[in-house]
Amino acid sequence: MSPTNTSKYLSLILRHKPETIGIRLDEHGWANVDELIAGIAKTHKFNMDILEEIVRTDDKQRYSFNDDKTLIRANQGHSVLVDVELEEMEPPAELWHGTGEKFVTSIEHQGLIPKSRLYVLLSKDKETAVKVGKRHGNPVLYTVKSGEMYHDGYPFYLSKNGVWLTKQVPVKYLKKQ
């Protein structure tokens, strides 16, 4: 398996389907590193060196170890119910959301919703939102009036890898670019 495919497989396990390799995440999304390695190693070449390399070189900083590297978790993007212990923070006045054209009609009727994930993911800059949008076809960008939302009582969280999270973004706080 290529390093890219191994990283995607790790993401699948730690964000969506830990049962794929017969492990469980605790309530905060942590997986036992030894169990994770043993589970992946049943079908792919995998060890601690490979795991550490993925965590160290991941351009999106998707994963975190605990202090003694006995536990690992995805920083955000989960579809399984976990509490990654995010601290509520005041966001900047504006954030960005990138998506594909095929989702515009839905977004303009119901705003941004997490769908299969626990949170709506927002970017702090336009460039990152464009990259995210391109994953879904022709990118469409929205500016999110996050400062206004926060002052209206909507909580925001900042993940360890710099992605802003919120439960939903109503239509009135969106501006299509």
Side-chain angles (χ1 to χ4, degrees), residues 99-138:
T99 191
E101 284 179 324
K102 61 186 173 190
F103 301 117
V104 169
T105 302
S106 172
I107 290 169
E108 293 185 355
H109 282 92
Q110 58 185 345
L112 297 174
I113 58 172
K115 292 189 259 181
S116 63
R117 298 191 185 213
L118 301 179
Y119 295 97
V120 172
L121 282 59
L122 304 171
S123 305
K124 62 182 181 257
D125 59 75
K126 186 177 183 176
E127 296 74 26
T128 302
V130 168
K131 287 180 193 172
V132 171
K134 284 182 179 178
R135 287 191 229 145
H136 304 286
N138 261 352

mmCIF file of all heavy atoms in Angstrom, residues 99-138:
data_model
loop_
_atom_site.group_PDB
_atom_site.id
_atom_site.type_symbol
_atom_site.label_atom_id
_atom_site.label_comp_id
_atom_site.label_asym_id
_atom_site.label_seq_id
_atom_site.Cartn_x
_atom_site.Cartn_y
_atom_site.Cartn_z
ATOM 1 N N THR A 99 -17.138 24.015 -1.455
ATOM 2 C CA THR A 99 -17.955 22.849 -1.768
ATOM 3 C C THR A 99 -18.036 22.698 -3.281
ATOM 4 O O THR A 99 -17.426 23.481 -4.016
ATOM 5 C CB THR A 99 -19.362 22.988 -1.126
ATOM 6 O OG1 THR A 99 -20.039 21.746 -1.226
ATOM 7 C CG2 THR A 99 -20.175 24.095 -1.769
ATOM 8 N N GLY A 100 -18.788 21.734 -3.756
ATOM 9 C CA GLY A 100 -18.983 21.527 -5.183
ATOM 10 C C GLY A 100 -20.312 22.101 -5.641
ATOM 11 O O GLY A 100 -21.246 22.251 -4.847
ATOM 12 N N GLU A 101 -20.417 22.384 -6.936
ATOM 13 C CA GLU A 101 -21.640 22.953 -7.515
ATOM 14 C C GLU A 101 -22.884 22.138 -7.183
ATOM 15 O O GLU A 101 -23.956 22.695 -6.968
ATOM 16 C CB GLU A 101 -21.517 23.013 -9.046
ATOM 17 C CG GLU A 101 -20.646 24.118 -9.558
ATOM 18 C CD GLU A 101 -20.560 24.104 -11.081
ATOM 19 O OE1 GLU A 101 -20.538 23.007 -11.687
ATOM 20 O OE2 GLU A 101 -20.511 25.201 -11.656
ATOM 21 N N LYS A 102 -22.717 20.824 -7.144
ATOM 22 C CA LYS A 102 -23.877 19.947 -6.939
ATOM 23 C C LYS A 102 -24.550 20.150 -5.580
ATOM 24 O O LYS A 102 -25.687 19.718 -5.388
ATOM 25 C CB LYS A 102 -23.478 18.483 -7.125
ATOM 26 C CG LYS A 102 -22.419 17.997 -6.151
ATOM 27 C CD LYS A 102 -21.966 16.593 -6.476
ATOM 28 C CE LYS A 102 -20.789 16.198 -5.610
ATOM 29 N NZ LYS A 102 -20.174 14.968 -6.032
ATOM 30 N N PHE A 103 -23.883 20.812 -4.639
ATOM 31 C CA PHE A 103 -24.449 21.009 -3.307
ATOM 32 C C PHE A 103 -25.075 22.389 -3.100
ATOM 33 O O PHE A 103 -25.667 22.654 -2.061
ATOM 34 C CB PHE A 103 -23.379 20.777 -2.238
ATOM 35 C CG PHE A 103 -22.778 19.406 -2.274
ATOM 36 C CD1 PHE A 103 -21.430 19.227 -2.554
ATOM 37 C CD2 PHE A 103 -23.557 18.282 -2.045
ATOM 38 C CE1 PHE A 103 -20.878 17.957 -2.602
ATOM 39 C CE2 PHE A 103 -23.012 17.007 -2.086
ATOM 40 C CZ PHE A 103 -21.665 16.846 -2.369
ATOM 41 N N VAL A 104 -24.955 23.282 -4.085
ATOM 42 C CA VAL A 104 -25.400 24.670 -3.936
ATOM 43 C C VAL A 104 -26.894 24.776 -3.620
ATOM 44 O O VAL A 104 -27.289 25.498 -2.699
ATOM 45 C CB VAL A 104 -25.036 25.505 -5.182
ATOM 46 C CG1 VAL A 104 -25.721 26.867 -5.164
ATOM 47 C CG2 VAL A 104 -23.517 25.680 -5.267
ATOM 48 N N THR A 105 -27.730 24.062 -4.352
ATOM 49 C CA THR A 105 -29.182 24.151 -4.129
ATOM 50 C C THR A 105 -29.529 23.761 -2.698
ATOM 51 O O THR A 105 -30.287 24.470 -2.019
ATOM 52 C CB THR A 105 -29.946 23.249 -5.131
ATOM 53 O OG1 THR A 105 -29.603 23.669 -6.455
ATOM 54 C CG2 THR A 105 -31.442 23.362 -4.938
ATOM 55 N N SER A 106 -28.957 22.673 -2.234
ATOM 56 C CA SER A 106 -29.204 22.223 -0.865
ATOM 57 C C SER A 106 -28.727 23.264 0.150
ATOM 58 O O SER A 106 -29.450 23.595 1.096
ATOM 59 C CB SER A 106 -28.496 20.891 -0.639
ATOM 60 O OG SER A 106 -28.563 20.521 0.706
ATOM 61 N N ILE A 107 -27.530 23.788 -0.049
ATOM 62 C CA ILE A 107 -26.964 24.779 0.882
ATOM 63 C C ILE A 107 -27.829 26.033 0.917
ATOM 64 O O ILE A 107 -28.079 26.597 1.981
ATOM 65 C CB ILE A 107 -25.503 25.112 0.502
ATOM 66 C CG1 ILE A 107 -24.613 23.908 0.806
ATOM 67 C CG2 ILE A 107 -25.016 26.360 1.239
ATOM 68 C CD1 ILE A 107 -23.200 24.013 0.244
ATOM 69 N N GLU A 108 -28.327 26.456 -0.232
ATOM 70 C CA GLU A 108 -29.112 27.689 -0.264
ATOM 71 C C GLU A 108 -30.501 27.509 0.345
ATOM 72 O O GLU A 108 -31.162 28.486 0.662
ATOM 73 C CB GLU A 108 -29.142 28.241 -1.682
ATOM 74 C CG GLU A 108 -27.723 28.686 -2.041
ATOM 75 C CD GLU A 108 -27.573 29.386 -3.377
ATOM 76 O OE1 GLU A 108 -28.545 29.491 -4.135
ATOM 77 O OE2 GLU A 108 -26.436 29.831 -3.637
ATOM 78 N N HIS A 109 -30.929 26.270 0.546
ATOM 79 C CA HIS A 109 -32.206 26.010 1.218
ATOM 80 C C HIS A 109 -32.046 25.741 2.711
ATOM 81 O O HIS A 109 -32.855 26.194 3.509
ATOM 82 C CB HIS A 109 -32.926 24.822 0.570
ATOM 83 C CG HIS A 109 -33.586 25.174 -0.706
ATOM 84 N ND1 HIS A 109 -32.972 25.049 -1.933
ATOM 85 C CD2 HIS A 109 -34.809 25.686 -0.959
ATOM 86 C CE1 HIS A 109 -33.785 25.450 -2.881
ATOM 87 N NE2 HIS A 109 -34.917 25.844 -2.314
ATOM 88 N N GLN A 110 -30.993 24.984 3.075
ATOM 89 C CA GLN A 110 -30.867 24.592 4.484
ATOM 90 C C GLN A 110 -29.595 25.073 5.164
ATOM 91 O O GLN A 110 -29.361 24.745 6.321
ATOM 92 C CB GLN A 110 -31.026 23.089 4.635
ATOM 93 C CG GLN A 110 -30.051 22.251 3.862
ATOM 94 C CD GLN A 110 -30.359 20.753 3.987
ATOM 95 O OE1 GLN A 110 -31.113 20.331 4.857
ATOM 96 N NE2 GLN A 110 -29.775 19.958 3.121
ATOM 97 N N GLY A 111 -28.768 25.849 4.466
ATOM 98 C CA GLY A 111 -27.514 26.282 5.050
ATOM 99 C C GLY A 111 -26.502 25.145 5.035
ATOM 100 O O GLY A 111 -26.679 24.151 4.331
ATOM 101 N N LEU A 112 -25.450 25.298 5.800
ATOM 102 C CA LEU A 112 -24.439 24.248 5.908
ATOM 103 C C LEU A 112 -24.793 23.362 7.087
ATOM 104 O O LEU A 112 -24.991 23.849 8.204
ATOM 105 C CB LEU A 112 -23.047 24.849 6.116
ATOM 106 C CG LEU A 112 -22.513 25.723 4.988
ATOM 107 C CD1 LEU A 112 -21.192 26.371 5.399
ATOM 108 C CD2 LEU A 112 -22.343 24.919 3.717
ATOM 109 N N ILE A 113 -24.873 22.063 6.822
ATOM 110 C CA ILE A 113 -25.150 21.089 7.870
ATOM 111 C C ILE A 113 -24.040 20.038 7.833
ATOM 112 O O ILE A 113 -23.406 19.845 6.794
ATOM 113 C CB ILE A 113 -26.544 20.448 7.703
ATOM 114 C CG1 ILE A 113 -26.667 19.763 6.339
ATOM 115 C CG2 ILE A 113 -27.642 21.492 7.903
ATOM 116 C CD1 ILE A 113 -27.922 18.938 6.164
ATOM 117 N N PRO A 114 -23.800 19.353 8.940
ATOM 118 C CA PRO A 114 -22.681 18.410 8.970
ATOM 119 C C PRO A 114 -22.895 17.130 8.183
ATOM 120 O O PRO A 114 -21.959 16.376 7.974
ATOM 121 C CB PRO A 114 -22.509 18.115 10.461
ATOM 122 C CG PRO A 114 -23.797 18.464 11.082
ATOM 123 C CD PRO A 114 -24.411 19.533 10.230
ATOM 124 N N LYS A 115 -24.100 16.854 7.716
ATOM 125 C CA LYS A 115 -24.424 15.606 7.021
ATOM 126 C C LYS A 115 -23.941 14.423 7.854
ATOM 127 O O LYS A 115 -24.370 14.257 8.979
ATOM 128 C CB LYS A 115 -23.868 15.602 5.602
ATOM 129 C CG LYS A 115 -24.567 16.616 4.708
ATOM 130 C CD LYS A 115 -24.168 16.457 3.270
ATOM 131 C CE LYS A 115 -23.148 17.493 2.911
ATOM 132 N NZ LYS A 115 -22.708 17.466 1.562
ATOM 133 N N SER A 116 -23.000 13.634 7.345
ATOM 134 C CA SER A 116 -22.578 12.431 8.068
ATOM 135 C C SER A 116 -21.526 12.722 9.145
ATOM 136 O O SER A 116 -21.154 11.843 9.906
ATOM 137 C CB SER A 116 -22.017 11.401 7.084
ATOM 138 O OG SER A 116 -20.859 11.908 6.461
ATOM 139 N N ARG A 117 -21.035 13.949 9.206
ATOM 140 C CA ARG A 117 -20.007 14.293 10.201
ATOM 141 C C ARG A 117 -20.636 14.925 11.430
ATOM 142 O O ARG A 117 -21.813 15.232 11.448
ATOM 143 C CB ARG A 117 -18.984 15.233 9.581
ATOM 144 C CG ARG A 117 -18.264 14.567 8.430
ATOM 145 C CD ARG A 117 -17.090 15.366 7.991
ATOM 146 N NE ARG A 117 -16.509 14.744 6.806
ATOM 147 C CZ ARG A 117 -15.242 14.757 6.529
ATOM 148 N NH1 ARG A 117 -14.386 15.352 7.329
ATOM 149 N NH2 ARG A 117 -14.789 14.192 5.439
ATOM 150 N N LEU A 118 -19.820 15.165 12.429
ATOM 151 C CA LEU A 118 -20.324 15.762 13.658
ATOM 152 C C LEU A 118 -20.395 17.284 13.576
ATOM 153 O O LEU A 118 -21.178 17.902 14.293
ATOM 154 C CB LEU A 118 -19.432 15.365 14.845
ATOM 155 C CG LEU A 118 -19.304 13.858 15.109
ATOM 156 C CD1 LEU A 118 -18.386 13.610 16.287
ATOM 157 C CD2 LEU A 118 -20.670 13.233 15.338
ATOM 158 N N TYR A 119 -19.574 17.888 12.710
ATOM 159 C CA TYR A 119 -19.503 19.341 12.600
ATOM 160 C C TYR A 119 -19.393 19.766 11.136
ATOM 161 O O TYR A 119 -18.943 19.007 10.286
ATOM 162 C CB TYR A 119 -18.250 19.882 13.321
ATOM 163 C CG TYR A 119 -18.248 19.675 14.807
ATOM 164 C CD1 TYR A 119 -17.574 18.600 15.371
ATOM 165 C CD2 TYR A 119 -18.902 20.560 15.648
ATOM 166 C CE1 TYR A 119 -17.561 18.407 16.747
ATOM 167 C CE2 TYR A 119 -18.900 20.377 17.023
ATOM 168 C CZ TYR A 119 -18.224 19.307 17.568
ATOM 169 O OH TYR A 119 -18.215 19.124 18.916
ATOM 170 N N VAL A 120 -19.736 21.019 10.894
ATOM 171 C CA VAL A 120 -19.436 21.671 9.627
ATOM 172 C C VAL A 120 -18.002 22.162 9.744
ATOM 173 O O VAL A 120 -17.624 22.768 10.753
ATOM 174 C CB VAL A 120 -20.395 22.871 9.391
ATOM 175 C CG1 VAL A 120 -19.969 23.681 8.178
ATOM 176 C CG2 VAL A 120 -21.829 22.394 9.257
ATOM 177 N N LEU A 121 -17.185 21.897 8.716
ATOM 178 C CA LEU A 121 -15.780 22.287 8.731
ATOM 179 C C LEU A 121 -15.605 23.570 7.924
ATOM 180 O O LEU A 121 -16.072 23.663 6.789
ATOM 181 C CB LEU A 121 -14.904 21.178 8.130
ATOM 182 C CG LEU A 121 -14.600 19.973 9.029
ATOM 183 C CD1 LEU A 121 -15.841 19.255 9.484
ATOM 184 C CD2 LEU A 121 -13.686 19.012 8.317
ATOM 185 N N LEU A 122 -14.924 24.554 8.522
ATOM 186 C CA LEU A 122 -14.723 25.859 7.896
ATOM 187 C C LEU A 122 -13.241 26.197 7.857
ATOM 188 O O LEU A 122 -12.487 25.836 8.757
ATOM 189 C CB LEU A 122 -15.492 26.939 8.672
ATOM 190 C CG LEU A 122 -16.999 26.695 8.830
ATOM 191 C CD1 LEU A 122 -17.601 27.694 9.799
ATOM 192 C CD2 LEU A 122 -17.691 26.756 7.479
ATOM 193 N N SER A 123 -12.853 26.930 6.822
ATOM 194 C CA SER A 123 -11.450 27.300 6.626
ATOM 195 C C SER A 123 -11.224 28.756 7.006
ATOM 196 O O SER A 123 -12.091 29.600 6.829
ATOM 197 C CB SER A 123 -11.068 27.120 5.148
ATOM 198 O OG SER A 123 -11.351 25.819 4.717
ATOM 199 N N LYS A 124 -10.009 29.048 7.468
ATOM 200 C CA LYS A 124 -9.683 30.415 7.838
ATOM 201 C C LYS A 124 -9.274 31.263 6.636
ATOM 202 O O LYS A 124 -9.182 32.471 6.731
ATOM 203 C CB LYS A 124 -8.595 30.435 8.907
ATOM 204 C CG LYS A 124 -7.282 29.835 8.456
ATOM 205 C CD LYS A 124 -6.251 29.835 9.586
ATOM 206 C CE LYS A 124 -4.958 29.261 9.120
ATOM 207 N NZ LYS A 124 -4.677 27.925 9.533
ATOM 208 N N ASP A 125 -9.031 30.608 5.488
ATOM 209 C CA ASP A 125 -8.620 31.367 4.305
ATOM 210 C C ASP A 125 -9.280 30.816 3.042
ATOM 211 O O ASP A 125 -9.675 29.651 2.976
ATOM 212 C CB ASP A 125 -7.096 31.382 4.152
ATOM 213 C CG ASP A 125 -6.522 29.984 4.040
ATOM 214 O OD1 ASP A 125 -6.668 29.379 2.963
ATOM 215 O OD2 ASP A 125 -5.940 29.499 5.035
ATOM 216 N N LYS A 126 -9.369 31.666 2.061
ATOM 217 C CA LYS A 126 -10.019 31.340 0.788
ATOM 218 C C LYS A 126 -9.296 30.207 0.055
ATOM 219 O O LYS A 126 -9.926 29.318 -0.522
ATOM 220 C CB LYS A 126 -10.044 32.599 -0.072
ATOM 221 C CG LYS A 126 -10.787 32.480 -1.355
ATOM 222 C CD LYS A 126 -10.803 33.832 -2.075
ATOM 223 C CE LYS A 126 -11.616 33.768 -3.337
ATOM 224 N NZ LYS A 126 -11.702 35.084 -3.986
ATOM 225 N N GLU A 127 -7.965 30.214 0.080
ATOM 226 C CA GLU A 127 -7.177 29.221 -0.649
ATOM 227 C C GLU A 127 -7.480 27.796 -0.183
ATOM 228 O O GLU A 127 -7.626 26.887 -0.989
ATOM 229 C CB GLU A 127 -5.673 29.505 -0.517
ATOM 230 C CG GLU A 127 -5.221 30.814 -1.128
ATOM 231 C CD GLU A 127 -5.604 32.055 -0.320
ATOM 232 O OE1 GLU A 127 -5.775 31.957 0.933
ATOM 233 O OE2 GLU A 127 -5.773 33.118 -0.938
ATOM 234 N N THR A 128 -7.576 27.605 1.122
ATOM 235 C CA THR A 128 -7.884 26.283 1.657
ATOM 236 C C THR A 128 -9.294 25.872 1.248
ATOM 237 O O THR A 128 -9.531 24.726 0.858
ATOM 238 C CB THR A 128 -7.747 26.274 3.193
ATOM 239 O OG1 THR A 128 -6.414 26.673 3.535
ATOM 240 C CG2 THR A 128 -8.026 24.895 3.766
ATOM 241 N N ALA A 129 -10.235 26.811 1.302
ATOM 242 C CA ALA A 129 -11.618 26.504 0.920
ATOM 243 C C ALA A 129 -11.705 26.101 -0.548
ATOM 244 O O ALA A 129 -12.470 25.210 -0.911
ATOM 245 C CB ALA A 129 -12.520 27.708 1.207
ATOM 246 N N VAL A 130 -10.899 26.738 -1.413
ATOM 247 C CA VAL A 130 -10.875 26.374 -2.838
ATOM 248 C C VAL A 130 -10.402 24.924 -2.987
ATOM 249 O O VAL A 130 -10.995 24.135 -3.727
ATOM 250 C CB VAL A 130 -9.980 27.334 -3.654
ATOM 251 C CG1 VAL A 130 -9.729 26.795 -5.053
ATOM 252 C CG2 VAL A 130 -10.599 28.718 -3.734
ATOM 253 N N LYS A 131 -9.331 24.560 -2.277
ATOM 254 C CA LYS A 131 -8.820 23.185 -2.343
ATOM 255 C C LYS A 131 -9.890 22.185 -1.911
ATOM 256 O O LYS A 131 -10.065 21.146 -2.540
ATOM 257 C CB LYS A 131 -7.585 23.019 -1.444
ATOM 258 C CG LYS A 131 -6.340 23.658 -1.974
ATOM 259 C CD LYS A 131 -5.190 23.428 -0.994
ATOM 260 C CE LYS A 131 -4.014 24.311 -1.329
ATOM 261 N NZ LYS A 131 -2.985 24.246 -0.291
ATOM 262 N N VAL A 132 -10.596 22.486 -0.838
ATOM 263 C CA VAL A 132 -11.650 21.601 -0.347
ATOM 264 C C VAL A 132 -12.759 21.500 -1.395
ATOM 265 O O VAL A 132 -13.240 20.413 -1.710
ATOM 266 C CB VAL A 132 -12.213 22.101 1.000
ATOM 267 C CG1 VAL A 132 -13.459 21.319 1.400
ATOM 268 C CG2 VAL A 132 -11.156 22.017 2.091
ATOM 269 N N GLY A 133 -13.161 22.627 -1.961
ATOM 270 C CA GLY A 133 -14.220 22.636 -2.963
ATOM 271 C C GLY A 133 -13.877 21.826 -4.193
ATOM 272 O O GLY A 133 -14.737 21.147 -4.765
ATOM 273 N N LYS A 134 -12.612 21.844 -4.596
ATOM 274 C CA LYS A 134 -12.179 21.109 -5.787
ATOM 275 C C LYS A 134 -12.325 19.602 -5.615
ATOM 276 O O LYS A 134 -12.444 18.875 -6.594
ATOM 277 C CB LYS A 134 -10.731 21.458 -6.139
ATOM 278 C CG LYS A 134 -10.591 22.809 -6.799
ATOM 279 C CD LYS A 134 -9.155 23.096 -7.181
ATOM 280 C CE LYS A 134 -9.049 24.448 -7.877
ATOM 281 N NZ LYS A 134 -7.659 24.774 -8.213
ATOM 282 N N ARG A 135 -12.325 19.121 -4.382
ATOM 283 C CA ARG A 135 -12.515 17.693 -4.132
ATOM 284 C C ARG A 135 -13.917 17.230 -4.533
ATOM 285 O O ARG A 135 -14.170 16.054 -4.665
ATOM 286 C CB ARG A 135 -12.311 17.366 -2.650
ATOM 287 C CG ARG A 135 -10.884 17.409 -2.214
ATOM 288 C CD ARG A 135 -10.787 16.809 -0.809
ATOM 289 N NE ARG A 135 -10.019 17.703 0.013
ATOM 290 C CZ ARG A 135 -10.213 17.936 1.296
ATOM 291 N NH1 ARG A 135 -11.184 17.340 1.939
ATOM 292 N NH2 ARG A 135 -9.452 18.772 1.957
ATOM 293 N N HIS A 136 -14.824 18.199 -4.670
ATOM 294 C CA HIS A 136 -16.226 17.886 -4.971
ATOM 295 C C HIS A 136 -16.629 18.332 -6.370
ATOM 296 O O HIS A 136 -17.805 18.509 -6.643
ATOM 297 C CB HIS A 136 -17.136 18.545 -3.931
ATOM 298 C CG HIS A 136 -16.819 18.165 -2.533
ATOM 299 N ND1 HIS A 136 -17.132 16.930 -2.002
ATOM 300 C CD2 HIS A 136 -16.167 18.839 -1.545
ATOM 301 C CE1 HIS A 136 -16.719 16.878 -0.747
ATOM 302 N NE2 HIS A 136 -16.122 18.008 -0.452
ATOM 303 N N GLY A 137 -15.647 18.549 -7.252
ATOM 304 C CA GLY A 137 -15.956 18.998 -8.613
ATOM 305 C C GLY A 137 -15.612 20.467 -8.783
ATOM 306 O O GLY A 137 -14.621 20.949 -8.245
ATOM 307 N N ASN A 138 -16.445 21.185 -9.542
ATOM 308 C CA ASN A 138 -16.238 22.621 -9.711
ATOM 309 C C ASN A 138 -16.435 23.308 -8.366
ATOM 310 O O ASN A 138 -17.516 23.201 -7.770
ATOM 311 C CB ASN A 138 -17.249 23.198 -10.710
ATOM 312 C CG ASN A 138 -16.657 23.367 -12.078
ATOM 313 O OD1 ASN A 138 -15.464 23.195 -12.279
ATOM 314 N ND2 ASN A 138 -17.516 23.690 -13.038
#
